[in-house]
């Protein structure tokens, strides 16, 4: 099974600031077809998760360019710039290269 | 607008069965692999099952294999999860999920399943 490890577990940020969340997989997420199926999701309080980024760096429909994803192989990063109140919640990375597994989440709070 | 609406959750005793349903709308249901993902109270996300577009192929993690069965009815744009031999550790919110490009692009609002005597 592919294990996804996210760091940090939680972080606090000031509005307008920038944050980075790291995600590491226990094995390469490069699929046989050459694609890397690494996604980022946000779960706001009392809501379902929502897709932010797919295939490492592709923003989902309607997602602000303040969100950016990068990485390759086993190491990936989500960056959020100019943090807004609506960005607060728990962020999950997830892989879809070998079925699906998710990281444990990173809680983003206001400083 | 893509909509996924789950139903069928509730309180069930250990060892009993429960069947969840998901009504899909706003897209061509038969074109997409579908999945169930669950979230135990105050915990992270766990993939539970995936089904191919035709329903001919299904996939499960070891934690539910042999106990859960995913199925679909493309004519009704509906997804199902039959859960047998339920355990307390199956207590969770269950999300119906549309999958594409190795990701879950849409999630339902979730349905709560509580396994307790």
């Amino acid at each position: 099974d592919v294990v996804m490890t996210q760091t940090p577990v939680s972080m606090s940020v000031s509005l307008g600031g920038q944050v980075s969340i790291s995600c590491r997989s226990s094995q390469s997420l490069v699929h046989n077809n050459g694609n890397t199926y690494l996604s980022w999701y946000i779960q706001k309080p009392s809501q379902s998760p929502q897709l932010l980024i797919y295939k490492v760096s592709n923003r989902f429909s309607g997602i602000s360019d303040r969100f950016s994803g990068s990485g390759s192989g086993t190491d990936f990063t989500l960056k959020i710039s100019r943090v807004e109140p609506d960005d607060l919640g728990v962020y999950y990375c997830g892989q879809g290269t070998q079925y699906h597994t998710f990281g444990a989440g990173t809680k983003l709070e206001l400083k | 607008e893509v909509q996924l609406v789950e139903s069928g959750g509730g309180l069930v005793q250990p060892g009993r069965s429960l069947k969840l349903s998901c009504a899909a709308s706003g897209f061509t249901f038969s074109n997409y692999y579908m999945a169930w993902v669950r979230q135990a109270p105050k915990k992270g996300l766990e993939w539970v099952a995936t089904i191919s577009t035709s329903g001919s192929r299904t996939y499960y993690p070891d934690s539910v294999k042999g106990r859960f069965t995913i199925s679909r009815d493309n004519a009704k744009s509906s997804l199902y999860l039959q859960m047998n031999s339920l355990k307390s550790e199956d207590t969770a919110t269950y999300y119906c999920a549309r999958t594409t490009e190795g990701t879950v692009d849409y999630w339902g609002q979730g349905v709560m399943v509580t396994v307790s005597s």
Side-chain angles (χ1 to χ4, degrees):
Chain A
D1 292 5
V2 180
V3 177
M4 307 297 289
T5 303
Q6 276 182 247
T7 53
V9 172
S10 65
M11 60 192 313
S12 55
V13 62
S14 300
L15 293 179
Q18 177 173 297
V19 299
S20 290
I21 301 171
S22 175
C23 178
R24 179 167 291 179
S25 56
S26 60
Q27 55 190 270
S28 173
L29 297 186
V30 180
H31 193 274
N32 291 339
N33 62 15
N35 288 317
T36 300
Y37 296 116
L38 185 284
S39 303
W40 290 96
Y41 306 88
I42 179 176
Q43 187 172 31
K44 300 175 186 177
S46 302
Q47 293 187 20
S48 308
Q50 302 168 233
L51 177 63
L52 295 170
I53 302 281
Y54 65 98
K55 287 199 295 186
V56 182
S57 60
N58 295 273
R59 277 185 295 275
F60 188 51
S61 174
I63 300 302
S64 168
D65 60 4
R66 297 185 299 104
F67 293 87
S68 63
S70 62
S72 63
T74 61
D75 287 287
F76 305 92
T77 302
L78 174 70
K79 288 185 179 176
I80 313 168
S81 60
R82 305 186 304 280
V83 169
E84 299 178 357
D86 196 47
D87 298 338
L88 303 182
V90 180
Y91 288 82
Y92 294 95
C93 62
Q95 67 83 20
T97 296
Q98 189 182 114
Y99 305 120
H100 292 277
T101 48
F102 301 89
T106 296
K107 188 172 186 178
L108 184 63
E109 298 172 303
L110 264 184
K111 191 176 290 184
Chain B
E1 179 195 4
V2 172
Q3 284 200 313
L4 301 169
V5 180
E6 302 94 338
S7 60
L11 174 64
V12 61
Q13 292 179 327
R16 303 299 291 262
S17 300
L18 200 63
K19 186 173 185 177
L20 305 182
S21 299
C22 170
S25 61
F27 64 102
T28 304
F29 181 73
S30 57
N31 286 353
Y32 289 86
Y33 276 51
M34 298 294 294
W36 289 95
V37 178
R38 68 184 179 184
Q39 185 172 34
K42 302 208 180 298
K43 298 292 187 183
L45 302 167
E46 180 188 17
W47 164 69
V48 170
T50 293
I51 188 166
S52 64
T53 52
S54 66
S56 60
R57 287 167 293 178
T58 57
Y59 311 89
Y60 308 92
D62 288 344
S63 58
V64 307
K65 195 176 293 182
R67 299 188 301 122
F68 289 13
T69 302
I70 187 172
S71 61
R72 66 192 296 161
D73 184 335
N74 286 342
K76 295 183 178 180
S77 294
S78 293
L79 180 72
Y80 307 100
L81 184 68
Q82 176 68 46
M83 303 184 292
N84 298 332
S85 303
L86 282 161
K87 308 174 182 180
S88 57
E89 52 262 44
D90 296 319
T91 294
T93 296
Y94 285 73
Y95 295 103
C96 173
R98 192 179 87 166
T99 66
T100 186
E101 295 271 32
T103 193
V104 176
D105 61 350
Y106 287 97
W107 304 68
Q109 87 285 353
V111 63
M112 185 68 200
V113 173
T114 302
V115 183
S116 175
S117 53

